[in-house]
Amino acid sequence: MTGLRNSYQTVWDKFKSQTTAERDLFLQESFPSGFQWATSSVSFKTEGGWSEGGKGETIWDRFGHEGLAFANQTADLACDSYRKVDYDVYLLRGLQVDTYQFSISWARIFPTGYRQSQSEKGAQYYDQLINALVASGIQPIVTLYHWDMPQALQNYGGWTNASIVEAFKDYADFCFSRFGDRVKIWNTFNSPWVVSHAGYGTGVHAPGVKDYVESSYQVTHNILKSHAEAWHVYNDNYRKTQGGKVGIALNSDWAEPSDPAKPEDVAAADRYLQFMLGWFAHPIFVDGDYPAILKDQVEQKKTACPDSVPAKLPVFTPTESKRILGTADFFGLNHYTSRLVSNSDGGCTPGPDGVGDFHATVDPTWSSTASDWIYPVPWGLRRLLNYISTEYLSANKLPVYITGNGMPTDYSVDSLTDTSRMDYMKSYINEALKATLTDGVDVQRFTVQSLMDGFEANQGYSQRFGLHYVNFEVGSRPRTPKQSAYLYAEIIEQNGFSSQKSKKFKAAERPLTRRLAMFASVLVYSTSLLTNS
């Protein structure tokens, strides 16, 4: 085990002796002054207006129109946020968030993916949203790419085509130039692992490519190079005048060894993190290249499986590695769940489990959600934050922004009284608080996913992630705050869970009907908007 990979052992040694009571102790304290509270949305999940204002087709438009999402559902209208900027910003004002993270649809700006196709109406839509946020005292945080590739680029291979790097660089340059006077925080990508894994590996997401042997790795390679080029464009041309920050939002589970007494399971849990988080984070934050253990596993499989090589990992040139290293002004983290990981022989099977020689499962005592992959394990977040701080940030001391955390409920049973989401949110935020105050991890923002229910990729509208309920049966798409929205507003007001205000905090558990007054103006405003839409 290399010195770098000892980060997992360090964190594991720190927490392995915790009792359950110590692990789950609720911390009644507040976050440091200046801590930022956010919620989020994603362009293709909420905007609608799929062909309006000159917008080009995206891979998710194509995916839905081909009947590949749940129940043949599409994102054509979604939440109709394209027409409801004022409505959505008013909801944000009700929450009293400091920041709002949203993504730009590349195809709404450049319908074909290239600058010569620029849609001024598309750019004006984002101008309108950004201006409304700024006027309301809410900081806009923009993600350049959250899964919705222009279909015109996908026709030529999308992220598997090396020419995508220059196309993304030019798109980023346009966005920095157009919006950077008001936008000071940028994510180049959000959850790129999902793009590589689900979009080009398993194929369950758009564009539906099933090739974990080669395409998935090539996608990561080109995404990393695209991210680096965008960061350098900002650093060279805009940082001095705009004064903003550019980073990337990476998703990762926490990996706990299935049998803590087995060193091979501890090592397998380390490999799990390196194959998920390290695949992207290591080149950016450590040395400009993929983790050594990932490269070693790929080479071992090439030797063991000469007739059916399960992974073909591209190689960075020295110039590319130098270009990628250090291209982040913060560490963005999306985190939702954890896994129990054991050592296994993956044989010649493609995919991270096979190539990485590990097996991941869940504890049967963990509660479930509407998603078959999200199981609430709040303490995993604290351990993951400690791991990130040790593995990636010990030298550069960059802050951590939690760019996404949330859980879904079923479409059919979701109500305004979303108790399970309230418990999830409260416990995960508290683990971030422990990491901040007790462990000294520099966490500066928490983003609850998401502002409202939306089109959840291949799951369509069957799962609800929102703080606000969206009625998808009505064309005007009315939104109503759930109990979790009130709870989040109170957490924001307290800046955490201060013991001095614990009685007030319990107000979030009052019956919903007694708390509607808190958002009465939102509901009245919403009604007036709907009658005029």
Side-chain angles (χ1 to χ4, degrees):
M1 182 178 291
T2 66
L4 287 173
R5 292 182 57 237
N6 274 331
S7 297
Y8 186 87
Q9 188 69 53
T10 299
V11 174
W12 172 241
D13 288 343
K14 177 177 180 177
F15 290 105
K16 66 182 180 182
S17 61
Q18 271 190 329
T19 65
T20 302
E22 290 171 336
R23 185 193 70 192
D24 297 338
L25 181 67
F26 196 86
L27 186 59
Q28 294 281 4
E29 296 289 346
S30 296
F31 283 87
S33 176
F35 190 83
Q36 293 186 329
W37 299 98
T39 188
S40 64
S41 69
V42 178
S43 54
F44 79 90
K45 296 184 179 185
T46 60
E47 285 180 3
W50 81 275
S51 62
E52 296 187 38
K55 177 182 169 292
E57 184 186 22
T58 72
I59 57 175
W60 281 106
D61 295 326
R62 178 71 60 89
F63 194 86
H65 294 160
E66 291 183 346
L68 298 175
F70 175 83
N72 296 320
Q73 293 169 345
T74 75
D76 289 3
L77 183 59
C79 305
D80 201 23
S81 286
Y82 181 68
R83 295 187 185 88
K84 301 188 185 309
V85 168
D86 291 341
Y87 191 168
D88 291 346
V89 173
Y90 206 83
L91 297 180
L92 291 164
R93 289 167 63 185
L95 286 172
Q96 301 182 71
V97 291
D98 306 298
T99 59
Y100 179 50
Q101 177 180 283
F102 65 94
S103 67
I104 289 176
S105 175
W106 189 345
R108 195 177 293 285
I109 298 286
F110 294 171
T112 68
Y114 295 105
R115 188 184 290 257
Q116 58 264 36
S117 68
Q118 182 200 331
S119 166
E120 180 59 21
K121 287 185 178 179
Q124 287 173 353
Y125 164 69
Y126 295 110
D127 276 330
Q128 181 189 4
L129 174 56
I130 291 166
N131 290 342
L133 291 168
V134 172
S136 297
I138 300 169
Q139 180 184 30
I141 300 173
V142 171
T143 298
L144 292 173
Y145 187 83
H146 199 137
W147 308 355
D148 53 349
M149 168 76 68
Q151 182 62 43
L153 294 179
Q154 184 57 42
N155 291 341
Y156 295 96
W159 291 113
T160 64
N161 190 323
S163 68
I164 197 72
V165 177
E166 192 63 30
F168 184 79
K169 176 183 176 181
D170 194 43
Y171 161 61
D173 180 70
F174 174 85
C175 291
F176 295 150
S177 176
R178 176 73 178 237
F179 310 118
D181 58 330
R182 291 150 290 161
V183 176
K184 304 303 176 184
I185 304 290
W186 299 86
N187 301 313
T188 54
F189 293 86
N190 195 299
S191 295
W193 180 87
V194 178
V195 178
S196 301
H197 170 75
Y200 293 82
T202 65
V204 299
H205 276 199
V209 176
K210 299 177 176 65
D211 178 15
Y212 230 127
V213 175
E214 189 166 5
S215 292
S216 183
Y217 295 97
Q218 189 61 54
V219 165
T220 297
H221 208 65
N222 288 332
I223 284 178
L224 284 165
K225 291 195 286 186
S226 298
H227 158 79
E229 290 306 314
W231 186 91
H232 282 289
V233 164
Y234 191 87
N235 194 56
D236 295 345
N237 303 329
Y238 299 101
R239 187 184 301 276
K240 185 176 180 180
T241 55
Q242 296 182 359
K245 295 181 179 180
V246 178
I248 188 168
L250 302 176
N251 64 292
S252 183
D253 307 335
W254 170 247
E256 190 83 357
S258 291
D259 187 342
K262 291 183 177 179
E264 59 268 32
D265 282 2
V266 176
D270 179 16
R271 291 198 301 276
Y272 184 98
L273 289 180
Q274 294 291 356
F275 269 71
M276 183 177 240
L277 183 58
W279 195 12
F280 292 87
H282 200 276
I284 296 170
F285 295 95
V286 179
D287 64 6
D289 198 2
Y290 297 115
I293 187 60
L294 191 156
K295 294 193 295 181
D296 289 347
Q297 288 288 134
V298 169
E299 288 302 312
Q300 290 174 24
K301 295 297 180 177
K302 286 170 64 176
T303 302
C305 310
D307 299 324
S308 57
V309 176
K312 297 179 181 179
L313 186 67
V315 177
F316 291 117
T317 67
T319 300
E320 289 171 340
S321 290
K322 185 178 180 181
R323 189 80 171 161
I324 292 168
L325 178 61
T327 53
D329 302 319
F330 55 85
F331 194 109
L333 173 66
N334 292 349
H335 173 74
Y336 309 93
T337 192
S338 294
R339 288 293 183 268
L340 298 178
V341 181
S342 59
N343 184 61
S344 69
D345 182 356
C348 298
T349 306
D353 294 34
V355 179
D357 286 330
F358 54 74
H359 176 68
T361 186
V362 298
D363 190 315
T365 65
W366 293 349
S367 58
S368 61
T369 69
S371 167
D372 60 6
W373 67 274
I374 296 181
Y375 292 79
V377 189
W379 48 265
L381 174 57
R382 180 183 179 186
R383 298 183 185 192
L384 181 60
L385 287 168
N386 274 263
Y387 172 81
I388 288 169
S389 181
T390 303
E391 175 81 345
Y392 303 115
L393 307 178
S394 59
N396 53 40
K397 305 299 182 185
L398 297 175
V400 177
Y401 298 158
I402 295 176
T403 44
N405 174 258
M407 58 152 281
T409 52
D410 283 315
Y411 181 90
S412 57
V413 301
D414 190 281
S415 68
L416 301 183
T417 308
D418 53 342
T419 306
S420 60
R421 180 175 291 105
M422 294 169 69
D423 292 341
Y424 179 99
M425 179 172 63
K426 186 168 64 172
S427 57
Y428 270 91
I429 292 174
N430 200 255
E431 292 298 324
L433 180 65
K434 293 178 193 177
T436 303
L437 297 187
T438 305
D439 306 328
V441 181
D442 187 16
V443 181
Q444 295 188 3
R445 180 188 306 132
F446 197 101
T447 306
V448 170
Q449 181 179 324
S450 52
L451 174 63
M452 69 190 89
D453 300 329
F455 179 83
E456 293 299 331
N458 59 312
Q459 297 297 329
Y461 301 102
S462 66
Q463 297 179 0
R464 294 181 176 272
F465 271 89
L467 293 167
H468 293 84
Y469 178 94
V470 178
N471 187 343
F472 295 107
E473 308 303 318
V474 177
S476 57
R477 298 298 198 260
R479 296 95 151 100
T480 307
K482 305 176 188 178
Q483 258 192 326
S484 57
Y486 298 104
L487 173 60
Y488 191 39
E490 292 192 4
I491 293 173
I492 292 171
E493 187 175 1
Q494 297 175 33
N495 198 35
F497 311 95
S498 174
S499 57
Q500 287 84 357
K501 298 183 180 180
S502 58
K503 290 185 179 179
K504 181 179 180 183
F505 177 76
K506 292 180 181 178
E509 300 171 8
R510 293 198 305 266
L512 181 64
T513 53
R514 294 179 60 189
R515 292 185 284 108
L516 284 174
M518 293 175 59
F519 274 56
S521 60
V522 172
L523 296 174
V524 170
Y525 187 77
S526 299
T527 302
S528 67
L529 281 173
L530 290 173
T531 57
N532 292 301
S533 61

